[in-house]
Amino acid sequence: HRHIAAEHWTGHLDGYWGNTNNYRVYFDPVDGLAKFVTWDLDYSLIPDVDWGMNWNYPASFISDNCRWNPGCYDQQREAEAWLLSELDIDSIEAEFDAALALIDGRAHDDPRDYCSSWDVTYWQDYVRDWVLNRNDEIEAYWGF
């Protein structure tokens, strides 16, 4: 449930819930429990509608069955609330600002010219807006 909550917060639609993709399952030899490990997050920070998907209609077998099972779905809702309570958005924003300060000059003056300075600023602002507003979006989705 926490794995899916993290996918939801990051908008990782190409993960287990949305596309049954870009994850591995690890079975802990000590407790025998399955743990999901996310990888390939290149399709993150994307609103579900922009990808033609909807968080209400998961692609994976387990998630789809959880979606329609009230007990399981309540546990997912609890995991989403837990994640929101654990995230320190101010610290995330501070780390984001520190990373931007480190790369800013070079990101805007790339000799290969893959992205214009305008593109760099636009996408940096986009990510900042995602971080600053995602909790509110998740709260609205779950009705918190």
Side-chain angles (χ1 to χ4, degrees):
H1 291 287
R2 289 180 177 183
H3 174 89
I4 298 303
E7 281 192 350
H8 196 184
W9 196 91
T10 59
H12 183 46
L13 293 162
D14 201 19
Y16 184 74
W17 185 275
N19 202 27
T20 62
N21 196 16
N22 296 324
Y23 71 96
R24 298 281 191 254
V25 179
Y26 168 75
F27 290 93
D28 190 316
V30 175
D31 61 21
L33 296 177
K35 294 181 177 29
F36 285 75
V37 180
T38 298
W39 65 282
D40 194 13
L41 293 158
D42 59 337
Y43 284 101
S44 295
L45 308 177
I46 300 172
D48 54 353
V49 296
D50 289 359
W51 231 51
M53 295 182 168
N54 185 321
W55 282 99
N56 288 315
Y57 300 100
S60 65
F61 177 78
I62 294 172
S63 298
D64 188 46
N65 282 295
C66 183
R67 175 72 177 93
W68 304 111
N69 177 297
C72 184
Y73 204 59
D74 285 346
Q75 289 179 348
Q76 186 58 48
R77 189 174 193 278
E78 289 172 16
E80 302 271 350
W82 171 84
L83 179 65
L84 295 182
S85 74
E86 293 294 309
L87 290 173
D88 181 350
I89 300 303
D90 291 335
S91 291
I92 295 171
E93 184 180 25
E95 286 187 43
F96 183 73
D97 289 340
L100 292 185
L102 184 65
I103 66 167
D104 197 48
R106 292 184 178 175
H108 286 278
D109 193 25
D110 183 356
R112 294 175 300 244
D113 198 29
Y114 287 123
C115 297
S116 70
S117 186
W118 182 91
D119 285 329
V120 170
T121 300
Y122 174 86
W123 288 109
Q124 289 173 348
D125 291 345
Y126 177 90
V127 172
R128 179 185 307 283
D129 288 345
W130 183 282
V131 168
L132 295 178
N133 296 305
R134 191 61 175 168
N135 281 11
D136 293 339
E137 293 168 6
I138 299 296
E139 287 173 357
Y141 177 89
W142 288 99
F144 295 147

